[in-house]
Amino acid sequence: MAEKILMKGNEAIGEAAIIAGCRHYFGYPITPQTELTEYMSKRMSNIGGVFVQAESEVAAINMVYGAAGAGARAMTSSSSPGISLKQEGISYIAGAELPCVIVNIMRGGPGLGSIQPSQCDYFQATKGGGHGDYRNIVLAPNSVQELADITVQSFELADKYRNPVMLLGDGALGQMMEPVDLTMIKTKSIVAKPWAATGLRGRKDSNIINSLHLKPEDLEKHNIHLQEKYKEISSKEVRYEAINTEDAELIMIAYGITSRIARSAMDMARNKGIKVGLLRPITLWPFPELVISKLASRAQAFLTVELSAGQMVEDVRLAVNGAKPVYFYGRMGGMMPNPKEIYGQIVNIMFGKGGL
Amino acid sequence: MSQKLFTRPQTLKDMATHYCPGCHHGIIHRLVAEVIDELGVRDKAIGVASVGCSVLAYEYFTIDMFQAAHGRAPAVATGIKRVHSDATVFTYQGDGDLAAIGCGEIVHAAARGEKITTIFVNNAIYGMTGGQMAPTTLVNQVTTTSPYGRNLENSGMPIRISEMLSTIDGAKFIARVAVNNPANMSKAKQAIKRAFEIQLRGEGFTMVEILSTCPTNWGKSPVEAATWLEENLIPYYPLGIFKAPEEVVK
Ligand SMILES: Cc1ncc(C[n+]2csc(CCOP(=O)(O)OP(=O)(O)O)c2C)c(N)n1
Ligand code: SF4
C-alpha cells in the first residue's frame, strides 16, 4: 500500500540511496545540501554502512573513486563551490569508467555566490566540467518524490554504463518538504562488477583502476570507446516530460524547480486561451535534442526559463537550429521568477514586441 | 643438492621497469613485494599508485591496483579500505605527491587512523616532471625551480613529514629508512613489514618514509647520488622509528 511521508528533498535523496543499496557515502558540509550529509551520518551507522566526513570535497570524491573502484555503490553530494572542487576527481572517475552518484544541490555563483537556489552549474554539469572529453549522465528531478526515484535510477544508470551520474537539483528542491512514497521504489539487483579491484581473492589476473594511457594510440582508442558509450547513452537514455506540447504555439523549456513555476505560468496562459506547452528535460545530458527539433517543425517559438544567465538555452538553440525563434528568460543570484513574470514573457512573445 | 635462495617475489612482475639507473624506486618496489609475499596477503592486497615517477607501479605489481590523482592516494585508499576492511591497502607516493599537493589527504588519513600503509618515497625533488623543487628539497639544493639553490626566505625550510605525522594520534607506526646499502635495506624491509603487520592488526595508520635517490635530476651518477643521500639527506632527515606500538619498538 502506498505510504506517503513528509520529507525534505535532501533527506529523500539519502533514504533513496540507501534503498538503492548505497552503503558508502563520503561528503563535506555545504549549504544547501548539508541535510543530506547529516542524514547519511545518522542512517549509515544504523544499517552498518560507511559514512566518512572527508576533510574536503577533493578528498570526498577521491574516496568515492576508491570505493567505486573497489566495487561498491558509492555516493557523494555537495553544492556548487564544492562540486567545482570535485571536478578533478570526476574527470578521473569518468576516465577510469567507475559508476558513482554525485549530487549537486546548486546555489548561486560564481565564487562563493550565495546559498540560494540556482541553476548556474548547467554548463559545468552537462559539458564535462573537469578536464578531458567526457560526459556525466545528468538527471534533473523537479519534486521530492522524483528526487527519490531518480536517486535510485542514478545508481542503476551508473552501474549499467560504468559512468558517473550527477543528480542536479537546486537549493529549493533540496530544502522543500513534500510527501514522498518510498515504498514504491523498486531496485534492480546489484550488478556483478568483475572489473573491480577487490584484491585478487583467487582471481589470476590483477584488476587495475586507471585513467592513464601514455601511448597516444592507446588513449585515442580509450577516448573513442568512451565516445561510443556516450553515443549509446544518448540514443537510449533520454528522458523528458511533455505537457500540452501537441497543439502549443509557444513551447517553454525548463527543468527542475523552474519547470514547476513555468507550469503555473503555462496554466495561466491556457486559461486565457493562449496555446502554451512545456517541455521538461529530465536528462540534461543526454539532452532531448531530437524531441525539441521535432517540436520545432510545428511550434512557432520557444521560451527557455532558467535560474541562470542562459545556459541550457544554448542546447535548445542547437536543437532548434534556427528553425524558430528561441527566447530566454532567467533570474540569477537566488532570485526566483514567479509565474506572473513568466506569463508576462509569454504575452510579450505572443502579442508584444517579441512577436511570433 | 642445489637450493634456490633468491627468486623474484610473486608480487612483482617479471619485466624491466622504466626507472633510471641508480634510482631507488626499483629496490623499494621489491621490498614491498617481498613483504606482501612473506605476510601471505597477496590475495587481499590492493595498492594505490600515485602521480610521480612511480605512476606506473600498477604495471609492476601482480596484485589489484589503483592509479590515483596527484596527491589523492590516501583518500582513494580510504575509499577502498572502507569497502574491503579485510584487504591490505597501501599507497605508494613520492614527496611531491605526499608533501605538497597531497599534504591534506595524508594528514587526514593519519588523523582518521585509516588502516592503510603509506610507502613514502622521499627523493627531495620532483622526479617525473624533470627536477623541480619539492617541499622536501634541502636548503641551498639546486633544482630547476630553485636554480640558485632553495632559498629559506622564499621557500621556507624543508618539511619533515615523518616527524610531523608522528604527532598525530591516529598514526600508529611511522619510520624513516633508506635503501642505500644492504644493512639499511634490511632495516627498511623490517619497517615495511611492521607497518603492514600493524595495519593487519587493525590498529591505525602506518607510514614508512624511504629516503631515495634521483640521480637523473640531482645531476649525479648513481654512486655519487648514493653518497649525496648519505651526506646530505640523512643528516637532515634522520633515520629511525618515530612512532610504534610499544611491543614493536622493544
Ligand atoms: C594536478 C597535477 N599537478 C601536477 C602534475 C604534474 N606532476 C606529475 S609528477 C609531479 C611531481 C612528482 O614528484 P614526486 O611525488 O616527488 O615523485 P617522483 O617523481 O620524484 O618519484 C608533478 C608535479 C600532475 N600530474 N597533476
Ligand atoms: S627521474 Fe629520478 S625518481 Fe624518476 S626514475 Fe629517474 S631517477 Fe628515479
Side-chain angles (χ1 to χ4, degrees), chain A residues 1-9 11-13 15-16 19 39 43 144-145 148 176-185:
Chain A
M1 222 191 70
E3 201 180 294
K4 293 211 169 187
I5 44 172
L6 201 59
M7 257 187 137
K8 221 177 195 184
E11 297 180 341
I13 298 172
E15 194 55 37
I19 293 171
Y39 191 82
R43 286 286 284 131
V144 175
Q145 180 68 53
M176 68 168 49
M177 283 185 101
E178 281 184 333
V180 48
D181 182 1
L182 295 168
T183 60
M184 299 289 282
I185 295 177

Side-chain angles (χ1 to χ4, degrees), chain A residues 153-224:
Chain A
Q153 291 164 23
S154 295
F155 280 101
E156 280 162 4
L157 283 169
D159 277 354
K160 184 171 173 192
Y161 293 104
R162 287 185 60 182
N163 208 70
V165 175
M166 183 173 284
L167 190 156
L168 195 66
D170 62 78
L173 281 170
Q175 297 294 323
M176 68 168 49
M177 283 185 101
E178 281 184 333
V180 48
D181 182 1
L182 295 168
T183 60
M184 299 289 282
I185 295 177
K186 300 265 181 301
T187 43
K188 291 187 202 108
S189 56
I190 305 264
V191 298
K193 297 179 179 174
W195 48 264
T198 57
L200 292 169
R201 296 173 197 268
R203 194 183 341 107
K204 210 177 121 273
D205 295 319
S206 47
N207 283 345
I208 312 290
I209 303 298
N210 181 27
S211 62
L212 178 70
H213 305 265
L214 282 173
K215 285 199 202 118
E217 51 269 38
D218 290 352
L219 183 56
E220 186 176 55
K221 217 171 111 189
H222 178 59
N223 268 290
I224 289 170

Side-chain angles (χ1 to χ4, degrees), chain A residues 88 92, chain B residues 19 23 25 50-55 69-70 72 92-99 101 120-129 132 134 136 214 217:
Chain A
E88 174 199 58
Y92 278 73
Chain B
Y19 298 114
C23 176
H25 268 306
S50 65
V51 170
C53 277
S54 55
V55 69
H70 199 23
R72 318 295 178 224
Y92 188 105
Q93 304 177 253
D95 49 272
D97 191 84
L98 181 144
I101 194 168
F120 169 39
V121 180
N122 179 1
N123 57 16
I125 204 159
Y126 286 16
M128 189 190 217
T129 40
Q132 296 79 26
T136 47
C214 181
N217 290 304

Side-chain angles (χ1 to χ4, degrees), chain B residues 48-223:
Chain B
V48 186
S50 65
V51 170
C53 277
S54 55
V55 69
L56 293 175
Y58 60 83
E59 297 268 14
Y60 306 138
F61 290 98
T62 59
I63 53 172
D64 278 7
M65 294 279 293
F66 281 70
Q67 205 297 303
H70 199 23
R72 318 295 178 224
V76 173
T78 298
I80 300 166
K81 187 76 183 196
R82 298 299 182 112
V83 175
H84 300 291
S85 54
D86 65 338
T88 304
V89 179
F90 69 95
T91 68
Y92 188 105
Q93 304 177 253
D95 49 272
D97 191 84
L98 181 144
I101 194 168
C103 204
E105 282 78 5
I106 198 69
V107 165
H108 287 278
R112 283 190 303 271
E114 214 59 64
K115 296 167 188 64
I116 60 171
T117 299
T118 289
I119 306 297
F120 169 39
V121 180
N122 179 1
N123 57 16
I125 204 159
Y126 286 16
M128 189 190 217
T129 40
Q132 296 79 26
M133 182 176 63
T136 47
T137 293
L138 298 181
V139 171
N140 295 327
Q141 188 182 335
V142 171
T143 72
T144 60
T145 50
S146 57
Y148 310 110
R150 179 180 180 141
N151 166 318
L152 200 152
E153 194 58 41
N154 191 38
S155 313
M157 291 291 282
I159 305 183
R160 293 188 181 96
I161 289 288
S162 284
E163 286 82 341
M164 184 175 102
L165 293 187
S166 296
T167 67
I168 294 177
D169 291 338
K172 295 300 175 202
F173 182 81
I174 304 283
R176 187 184 288 121
V177 298
V179 292
N180 58 321
N181 59 44
N184 276 348
M185 266 184 237
S186 135
K187 279 190 203 153
K189 183 172 165 185
Q190 220 175 23
I192 295 169
K193 200 166 187 175
R194 283 172 171 177
F196 274 99
E197 280 167 348
I198 291 163
Q199 178 190 165
L200 286 172
R201 299 206 310 246
E203 290 185 22
F205 176 80
T206 57
M207 183 184 81
V208 181
E209 173 176 350
I210 306 173
L211 299 182
S212 181
T213 52
C214 181
T216 305
N217 290 304
W218 291 356
K220 295 182 168 32
S221 72
V223 175

